Amino acid sequence: MANFNFYNFLTENGYEKDTIRDASGITFCTNYQKELSENIWNSLTVHKDKTITGASPKNGIVFKQIPQPETIEDANLLLQKIEDYE
C-alpha cells in the first residue's frame, strides 16, 4: 500500500496535531493526541527521525521510537494499543 499516509490517517481518526519547535523555530517533534473520554487523552509522538512513540492513559509508554506503520492494518493495531484506557 504505497499511498498510505500515516499523518492523514491519524487526523482522520480524530487525532489533534501539535508541532513542537525548538528555540530556533526548527521542528523538534510532532505530537498527536486524541481525547478518548472526557479529560482522558493518549499521545503519539513523531520524532525528527520519523520514528514514533505512543502512550496510553492506562499503560503509559506502549512503544518507543519504532518505525511508522506502512499499512492501515498496522496503524490500526498501534492505535488500539494507545487508545486503551479502561
Side-chain angles (χ1 to χ4, degrees):
M1 186 174 229
N3 293 330
F4 177 67
N5 184 306
F6 184 55
Y7 309 117
N8 289 343
F9 175 80
L10 291 171
T11 302
E12 291 166 0
N13 281 280
Y15 282 76
E16 297 177 21
K17 176 182 172 182
D18 187 24
T19 302
I20 313 299
R21 300 182 189 282
D22 65 19
S24 68
I26 295 174
T27 299
F28 174 74
C29 67
T30 304
N31 195 43
Y32 289 85
Q33 290 183 298
K34 182 177 181 179
E35 188 171 26
L36 304 170
S37 184
E38 187 174 350
N39 296 319
I40 297 176
W41 295 78
N42 67 355
S43 177
L44 188 138
T45 301
V46 180
H47 304 279
K48 279 184 179 183
D49 64 1
K50 304 296 183 194
T51 60
I52 58 173
T53 297
S56 77
K58 178 180 177 182
N59 299 312
I61 294 177
V62 179
F63 48 86
K64 184 175 178 182
Q65 289 190 283
I66 64 170
Q68 292 181 29
E70 296 181 1
T71 67
I72 194 167
E73 294 81 12
D74 290 342
N76 277 320
L77 290 174
L78 289 178
L79 292 191
Q80 285 176 354
K81 292 178 181 180
I82 64 171
E83 291 182 1
D84 180 21
Y85 68 95
E86 296 184 309

